[in-house]
């Protein structure tokens, strides 16, 4: 009989401990990122993520005022990481206007972190260069001017 | 196992089982029982990871000389802002830019004792533009810019000993005040016997004007007062905002064993100063100009090297009969704090040896002045009658009341040092309504949003002097504690107890949104006006001028340019002017070089900082980035070759081609 009481008492004790165990499940947010390029629109695929969401109307002829402005900003905010003809912290940019659209380049300048995370080109670049390109506090019109400078470079220096 | 042992075991298990059941039935889950009380407190201070606190708290560093910044209510430690002491972590006081900030008329001083931070105000409310803090030992006031959380200016106070009653601002930051805690001869550098105290020594109350746009301070005038100890101060609010108040003790004019000799009088004074009237008198030319020697250190542009503006004169106003700008309010007994309620009507003193908390009425004070109801004067300062200005005395406040702050519902909260508690009392009845323990020996306290005309009613922080057993022991000296209380209800409730940095005397807390939206994330390269900055990497270079060598260096993750330098000689003075060309928030580079008798320097994005190096031996000196800035941070390094003084190694520098 005493054994029985002991056992019952013991089970009750276990029960109380059980009941007091934490019932709450810690919430886990499913941080599913859009890592696969499938969810990109056609525009994004070609021109990247960022504030530029439509094709720009860009004149064939180079605007030399923009080139001068773009060059100034490029030297100030880009040249420490990019060479024109060879790899440095980032990829060479001398011929970038021949492989990427102006909109892509601008979006990359204006919104690098989203592009290296979500865009297949950016993801591949990050894997290769292992440094994330920073947003360099460049305004949209300045990014446009940089594109002009890079176009001019490609036309005259290559 | 013997039978009796088995029985004992069974008995024990049985007993344990019953106790568990009984406990469960009567009290619920044991672990959650404790959490009902504490969980409530925990919830109130819980700020989820990634979320931000509701308040910035600025705690003085006391003998660390600095100012620490905390998030409240979580008590997250945010940063230390170096102010009066060198800080090897950031290079403050070691870099060429910041060394001039610590220059004084006594030479370079790497330390001070910082006591009372005070946030700039507009219309009686904290505006979050700047925070001022006093240096007590070698009297100074510093201004910290709350866009960058950096010390931008330090002003020395002339002819002052121990600037303790500082750095409180008036309602629109017209003035920051300072005062002499230790009276000294006012005349500059006067060499007299110490026992000439009453004849030769004087107190000085300082009024420092603040430029409303730039925040730049200027010593406007000092008021010459009797040789007492001027201990604490506060500016009036609302109706009293043209006034500032200082406590005095040692009206006995003792100069030795003050513990006894300065505790004889039943009453000392609160000095009430109409600063507006005093400033008018100064504008009318009623002040005199006296010799002085003091430093004013600040930056001229938004970056650059701080300059030393050395001053040799100060304007002094000596009270004359009938000038009507300063009065003494008799107050028991060696008062420490003087605090003004949000309406500006009540002037509350903390008489550390008094048995009551005396509360003066501002309107009665004005009335008494109007009626010329004086009880004599000292040195042309009229003395008011205690009975006419006093509005009430709080009875039984505990032993050693020091400082008072207020909520917006008509309650005052006074810290009481000896009995180590906080008492809450009503400004209506002057009766104590609640009290709670402080751990241990509380000094100042502060209320979030407080010392303004609109304090919040949420939290109170008590700043205590000893921790003893409150935390895990860390040696014979423990760090100073702070305690966070919930004051939103009828009863005060202790929420949190945490160790701080240095010895926080006073602290202030301001709603975070008054500051956070204005905080700079980078220094913009375009606005860098530092004389040795480069604004593009292709300007990197090394220049020699005699035996001074300047390295104009740029950094980006993960390299310096230049990173190979030759042609430095023993005996040269080398300045590394490092411009961090990053424009991304919080991407910092640092530099340190082997054998430098200096600290590293840390350079924020877009900033230029200078490390001075005087190589003493020939050889190859590696330098590297001290901040883990990127995946290739370990690659961020360079070499300097140091040759003999008479060598003819040419000065060259390069980056990038092996
Ligand atoms: Cu680095």
């Amino acid at each position: 009989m005493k054994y029985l009481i002991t056992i019952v008492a013991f089970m009750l004790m276990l029960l109380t401990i059980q009941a007091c165990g934490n019932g709450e499940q810690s919430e886990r947010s499913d941080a599913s990122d859009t890592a696969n390029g499938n969810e990109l629109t056609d525009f994004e695929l070609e021109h990247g993520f960022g504030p530029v969401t439509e094709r720009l109307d860009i004149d064939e002829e180079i605007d030399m005022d923009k080139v001068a402005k773009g060059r100034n900003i490029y030297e100030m905010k880009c040249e420490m990481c990019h060479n024109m003809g060879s790899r440095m912290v980032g990829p060479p940019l001398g011929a970038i206007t021949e492989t990427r659209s102006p909109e892509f380049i601008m979006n990359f300048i204006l919104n690098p972190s989203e592009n290296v995370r979500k865009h297949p080109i950016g993801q591949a670049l990050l894997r290769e260069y292992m440094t994330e390109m920073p947003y360099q506090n460049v305004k949209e019109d300045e990014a446009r001017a940089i594109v002009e400078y890079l176009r001019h470079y490609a036309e005259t220096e290559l | 196992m013997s039978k009796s042992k088995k029985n004992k075991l069974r008995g024990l298990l049985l007993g344990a089982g019953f106790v568990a059941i009984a406990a469960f039935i009567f009290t619920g889950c044991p672990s959650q029982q404790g959490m009902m009380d504490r969980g409530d407190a925990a919830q109130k201070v819980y700020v989820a990871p990634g979320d931000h606190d509701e308040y910035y708290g600025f705690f003085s560093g006391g003998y660390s000389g600095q100012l620490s910044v905390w998030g409240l209510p979580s008590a997250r430690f945010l940063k230390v802002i170096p102010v009066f002491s060198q800080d090897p972590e950031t290079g403050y006081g070691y870099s060429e830019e910041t060394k001039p900030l610590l220059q004084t008329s006594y030479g370079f001083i790497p330390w001070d004792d910082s006591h009372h931070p005070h946030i700039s105000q507009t219309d009686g409310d904290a505006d979050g533009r700047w925070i001022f803090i006093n240096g007590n030992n070698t009297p100074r006031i510093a201004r910290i810019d709350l866009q960058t959380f950096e010390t931008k200016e330090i002003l020395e106070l002339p002819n002052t000993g121990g600037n303790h009653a500082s750095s409180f601002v008036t309602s629109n930051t017209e003035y920051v005040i300072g005062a002499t805690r230790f009276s000294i001869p006012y005349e500059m550098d006067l060499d007299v016997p110490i026992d000439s105290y009453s004849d030769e020594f004087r107190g000085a109350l300082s009024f420092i004007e603040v430029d409303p746009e730039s925040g730049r301070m200027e010593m406007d005038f000092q008021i010459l007062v009797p040789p007492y100890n001027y201990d604490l101060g506060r500016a009036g609010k609302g109706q009293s905002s043209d006034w500032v108040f200082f406590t005095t003790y040692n009206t006995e004019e003792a100069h030795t064993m003050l513990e006894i000799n300065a505790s004889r009088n039943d009453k000392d004074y609160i000095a009430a100063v109409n600063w507006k009237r005093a400033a008018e008198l100064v504008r009318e030319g009623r002040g005199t100009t006296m010799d002085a020697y003091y430093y004013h250190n600040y930056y001229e542009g938004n970056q650059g090297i701080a300059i030393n503006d050395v001053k040799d004169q100060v304007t002094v106003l000596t009270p004359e009969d009938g000038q009507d700008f300063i009065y003494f309010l008799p107050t028991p007994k060696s008062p420490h704090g003087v605090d003004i309620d949000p309406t500006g009507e009540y002037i509350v003193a903390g008489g550390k040896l008094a048995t009551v908390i005396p509360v003066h009425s501002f309107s009665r004070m004005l009335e008494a002045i109007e009626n010329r109801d004086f009880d004599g004067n000292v040195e042309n300062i009229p003395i008011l009658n205690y009975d006419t200005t006093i509005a009430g005395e709080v009875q039984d406040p505990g032993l050693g009341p020091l400082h008072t702050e207020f909520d917006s519902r008509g309650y005052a909260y006074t810290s009481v040092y000896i009995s180590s508690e906080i008492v809450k009392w009503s400004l209506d009845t002057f009766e104590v309504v609640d009290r709670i323990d402080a751990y241990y020996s509380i000094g100042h306290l502060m209320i979030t949003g407080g010392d303004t005309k609109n304090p919040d009613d949420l939290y109170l922080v008590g700043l205590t002097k000893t921790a003893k057993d409150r935390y895990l022991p860390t040696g014979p000296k423990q760090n100073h504690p702070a305690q966070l209380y919930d004051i939103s209800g009828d009863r005060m409730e202790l929420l949190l107890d945490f160790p701080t940095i240095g010895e926080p005397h006073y602290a202030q807390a301001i709603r975070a949104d008054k500051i956070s939206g204005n905080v700079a994330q980078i220094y913009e390269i375009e606005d860098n006006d530092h004389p040795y900055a480069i604004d593009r990497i292709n300007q990197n270079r090394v220049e020699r001028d005699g035996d001074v060598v300047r390295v104009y260096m740029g950094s980006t993750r993960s390299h310096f340019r230049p990173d190979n330098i030759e042609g430095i000689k023993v005996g040269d003075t080398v300045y590394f002017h490092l411009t961090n060309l990053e424009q991304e928030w919080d991407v910092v580079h640092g530099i340190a070089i082997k054998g430098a008798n200096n600290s590293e320097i840390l350079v924020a994005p877009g900033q230029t900082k200078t490390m001075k190096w005087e190589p003493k031996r020939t050889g190859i000196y590696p330098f590297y980035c001290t901040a883990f800035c990127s995946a290739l941070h370990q690659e961020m390094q360079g070499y300097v070759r140091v040759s003999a003084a008479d060598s003819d190694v040419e000065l060259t520098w390069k980056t990038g081609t092996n």
Side-chain angles (χ1 to χ4, degrees):
Chain A
M1 181 58 195
K2 269 190 187 160
Y3 281 109
L4 202 72
I5 296 175
T6 311
I7 287 164
V8 169
F10 220 86
M11 282 175 67
L12 273 168
M13 196 170 93
L14 286 177
L15 208 86
T16 62
I17 291 167
Q18 282 285 310
C20 294
N22 72 326
E24 267 172 65
Q25 215 66 235
S26 63
E27 243 179 81
R28 277 188 127 214
S29 68
D30 254 36
S32 69
D33 48 40
T34 48
N36 55 17
N38 297 342
E39 295 168 30
L40 270 63
T41 65
D42 286 348
F43 182 90
E44 285 166 348
L45 204 53
E46 207 181 330
H47 307 296
F49 294 105
V52 185
T53 52
E54 328 178 324
R55 293 307 311 259
L56 299 176
D57 185 14
I58 293 182
D59 207 336
E60 273 299 307
E61 197 157 327
I62 302 276
D63 176 339
M64 288 311 289
D65 284 346
K66 280 203 179 73
V67 171
K69 174 174 165 182
R71 181 197 183 113
N72 180 42
I73 301 156
Y74 182 86
E75 285 180 354
M76 189 183 281
K77 298 188 168 183
C78 318
E79 203 175 19
M80 61 281 222
C81 287
H82 291 285
N83 285 340
M84 288 306 189
S86 60
R87 174 189 175 126
M88 234 249 289
V89 181
L93 296 180
I96 192 76
T97 50
E98 295 178 358
T99 49
R100 310 275 188 245
S101 73
E103 295 80 3
F104 180 92
I105 296 172
M106 287 176 66
N107 279 333
F108 211 93
I109 296 170
L110 296 169
N111 188 16
S113 72
E114 201 180 358
N115 282 295
V116 298
R117 251 175 223 111
K118 292 193 194 161
H119 197 283
I121 295 175
Q123 290 169 333
L125 285 168
L126 181 60
R127 268 196 298 279
E128 189 179 345
Y129 289 91
M130 294 299 282
T131 293
E132 187 180 317
M133 163 152 156
Y135 169 60
Q136 284 289 77
N137 193 29
V138 171
K139 313 282 169 295
E140 194 166 328
D141 63 314
E142 296 172 330
R144 170 70 186 84
I146 292 172
V147 167
E148 206 68 0
Y149 167 61
L150 292 170
R151 283 178 67 203
H152 178 68
Y153 185 91
E155 278 189 13
T156 53
E157 305 286 328
L158 295 182
Chain B
M1 217 183 255
S2 75
K3 187 145 196 224
S4 74
K5 269 199 182 151
K6 253 192 204 160
N7 272 341
K8 246 187 212 157
L9 182 70
R10 201 190 316 140
L12 267 175
L13 287 175
L14 200 80
F18 277 121
V19 168
I21 295 164
F24 185 65
I25 291 166
F26 290 118
T27 65
C29 295
S31 58
Q32 282 175 7
Q33 181 60 29
M35 277 168 55
M36 292 306 280
D37 304 323
R38 298 189 173 209
D40 199 28
Q43 200 145 40
K44 285 183 178 166
V45 300
Y46 182 71
V47 176
D51 286 354
H52 292 176
D53 278 288
E54 230 177 314
Y55 290 93
Y56 281 102
F58 296 93
F59 292 31
S60 79
Y63 42 54
S64 87
Q66 318 295 44
L67 180 69
S68 60
V69 190
W70 303 76
L72 296 176
S74 76
R76 274 180 197 165
F77 166 65
L78 301 176
K79 80 164 18 171
V80 168
I81 303 173
V83 185
F84 293 112
S85 299
Q86 284 178 301
D87 179 45
E89 180 183 336
T90 54
Y92 179 86
Y94 293 96
S95 69
E96 296 308 296
E97 288 72 16
T98 52
K99 277 198 284 200
L101 289 174
L102 300 183
Q103 205 67 34
T104 74
S105 64
Y106 301 89
F108 179 84
I109 298 186
W111 171 87
D112 212 304
D113 182 10
S114 60
H115 277 239
H116 311 115
H118 214 236
I119 299 166
S120 57
Q121 296 193 357
T122 302
D123 194 20
D125 225 341
D127 61 20
R129 300 172 73 194
W130 312 296
I131 186 163
F132 299 88
I133 189 165
N134 60 321
N136 195 40
N137 181 50
T138 303
R140 285 173 281 175
I141 294 183
R143 180 175 56 87
I144 292 132
D145 176 57
L146 291 179
Q147 285 184 353
T148 56
F149 285 59
E150 288 177 334
T151 303
K152 293 294 189 192
E153 182 180 8
I154 294 183
L155 173 70
E156 192 181 353
L157 307 190
N159 304 338
T160 299
N163 180 35
H164 189 261
S166 187
S167 56
F168 305 99
V169 302
T170 56
S171 285
N172 285 296
T173 322
E174 296 96 339
Y175 284 96
V176 183
I177 58 173
T180 207
R181 165 147 154 242
F182 315 114
S183 280
I184 53 172
Y186 186 80
E187 220 167 293
M188 194 176 111
D189 297 349
L190 196 64
D191 172 13
V192 291
I194 297 171
D195 64 11
S196 68
Y197 187 99
S198 292
D199 296 330
E200 300 287 359
F201 290 35
R202 282 295 165 277
L205 309 177
S206 294
F207 291 80
I208 294 125
E209 209 175 359
V210 179
D211 183 278
E213 291 305 314
S214 65
R216 177 85 50 83
M217 298 183 280
E218 208 64 63
M219 172 59 72
D220 194 25
F221 62 92
Q222 293 187 314
I223 301 173
L224 214 57
V225 284
Y228 309 150
N229 290 41
Y230 295 82
D231 198 9
L232 269 164
R234 282 284 197 196
K237 301 183 176 79
Q239 53 182 310
S240 55
S241 51
D242 292 352
W243 293 73
V244 294
F245 304 88
F246 296 92
T247 47
T248 70
Y249 63 102
N250 192 22
T251 50
E252 297 86 348
E253 303 186 9
H255 54 82
T256 179
M257 195 51 150
L258 267 66
E259 185 175 15
I260 310 289
N261 296 332
S263 303
R264 298 211 160 105
N265 292 351
D266 270 351
K267 292 201 172 58
D268 297 277
Y269 301 121
I270 286 173
V273 180
N274 184 330
W275 60 261
K276 221 170 219 172
R277 175 97 187 102
E280 273 164 24
L281 289 168
V282 169
R283 299 287 101 86
E284 287 164 14
R286 305 290 288 279
T288 50
T289 305
M290 303 253 311
D291 287 344
Y293 177 30
Y294 59 106
Y295 271 58
H296 184 191
N297 312 322
Y298 54 87
Y299 296 96
E300 274 178 316
N302 61 46
Q303 279 206 45
I305 299 169
I307 60 157
N308 297 135
D309 188 358
V310 183
K311 307 279 189 174
D312 57 10
Q313 284 187 333
V314 62
T315 302
V316 181
L317 192 60
T318 311
E320 284 169 27
D321 195 26
Q323 272 183 335
D324 274 339
F325 71 89
I326 180 167
Y327 305 88
F328 279 145
L329 283 70
T331 300
K333 179 177 183 176
S334 298
H336 187 49
V338 54
D339 300 292
I340 316 302
D341 85 307
T343 69
E345 165 63 3
Y346 293 116
I347 306 158
V348 180
K352 52 185 189 284
L353 306 177
T355 51
V356 298
I357 300 171
V359 184
H360 294 284
S361 149
F362 176 72
S363 49
R364 287 194 204 184
M365 181 192 93
L366 287 188
E367 214 177 286
I369 293 169
E370 184 80 9
N371 300 335
R372 319 307 285 174
D373 178 6
F374 301 138
D375 182 15
N377 73 80
V378 228
E379 298 188 12
N380 298 320
I381 302 173
I383 301 170
L384 295 155
N385 282 300
Y386 183 70
D387 295 335
T388 43
T389 60
I390 204 76
E393 289 178 338
V394 181
Q395 302 295 330
D396 191 23
L399 290 180
L402 293 183
H403 304 281
T404 302
E405 290 225 347
F406 308 88
D407 65 20
S408 68
R409 297 163 304 194
Y411 292 102
Y413 301 76
T414 301
S415 59
V416 188
Y417 179 77
I418 300 169
S419 49
S420 190
E421 60 184 328
I422 296 166
V423 295
K424 175 181 176 182
W425 50 275
S426 158
L427 281 164
D428 186 28
T429 62
F430 303 110
E431 271 166 13
V432 172
V433 297
D434 189 21
R435 54 207 319 150
I436 193 165
D437 286 339
Y439 306 93
Y440 301 97
S441 305
I442 185 169
H444 280 269
L445 49 68
M446 66 97 154
I447 284 177
T448 47
D451 188 40
T452 69
K453 66 174 195 192
N454 294 313
D456 297 325
D457 302 325
L458 290 179
Y459 306 107
L460 179 153
V461 176
L463 302 151
T464 53
K465 299 299 175 189
T466 50
K468 296 220 161 71
D469 59 352
R470 297 298 291 176
Y471 318 121
L472 285 176
T474 53
K477 188 199 175 304
Q478 303 273 69
N479 271 22
H480 283 267
Q483 281 116 36
L484 182 80
Y485 300 87
D486 180 350
I487 55 163
S488 60
D490 287 343
R491 308 291 309 265
M492 294 178 275
E493 192 193 335
L494 177 62
L495 299 179
L496 207 57
D497 183 343
F498 56 102
T500 62
I501 280 159
E503 183 193 0
H505 287 264
Y506 184 51
Q508 286 222 296
I510 178 172
R511 272 213 340 268
D513 59 15
K514 288 191 172 182
I515 291 180
S516 56
N518 302 325
V519 174
Q521 301 193 334
I522 58 167
Y523 282 90
E524 300 199 4
I525 296 185
E526 291 91 334
D527 300 339
N528 189 342
D529 53 5
H530 192 295
Y532 300 108
I534 58 174
D535 74 352
R536 57 205 61 223
I537 197 64
N538 64 22
Q539 290 171 349
N540 82 84
R541 64 192 186 276
V542 184
E543 285 174 2
R544 173 184 286 283
D545 178 9
D547 52 13
V548 171
V549 178
R550 294 187 185 278
V551 182
Y552 295 79
M553 185 180 267
S555 68
T556 193
R557 65 204 97 165
S558 312
H559 62 271
F560 296 105
R561 271 190 253 188
D563 67 3
N564 280 200
I565 302 170
E566 301 200 357
I568 306 291
K569 297 174 195 170
V570 171
D572 283 346
T573 299
V574 183
Y575 293 103
F576 292 95
H577 302 294
L578 177 60
T579 300
N580 180 356
L581 290 163
E582 305 278 358
Q583 289 289 276
E584 187 181 324
W585 191 17
D586 209 17
V587 179
V588 171
H589 298 289
I591 187 170
I593 188 159
K594 181 186 169 186
N597 301 100
N598 210 342
S599 82
E600 58 131 11
I601 49 173
L602 271 194
V603 192
Q607 207 178 25
T608 304
K609 288 269 151 140
T610 304
M611 180 176 70
K612 181 178 169 184
W613 176 49
E614 293 164 305
K616 297 192 177 60
R617 287 151 59 183
T618 61
I620 300 294
Y621 287 81
F623 62 89
Y624 71 101
C625 176
T626 49
F628 203 114
C629 53
S630 63
L632 295 173
H633 157 73
Q634 288 300 82
E635 279 70 12
M636 193 160 175
Q637 62 159 61
Y639 288 110
V640 180
R641 173 181 171 192
V642 176
S643 305
D646 58 357
S647 89
D648 47 18
V649 177
E650 208 189 315
L651 187 68
T652 55
W653 62 94
K654 66 170 189 177
T655 328
T657 30
N658 245 335

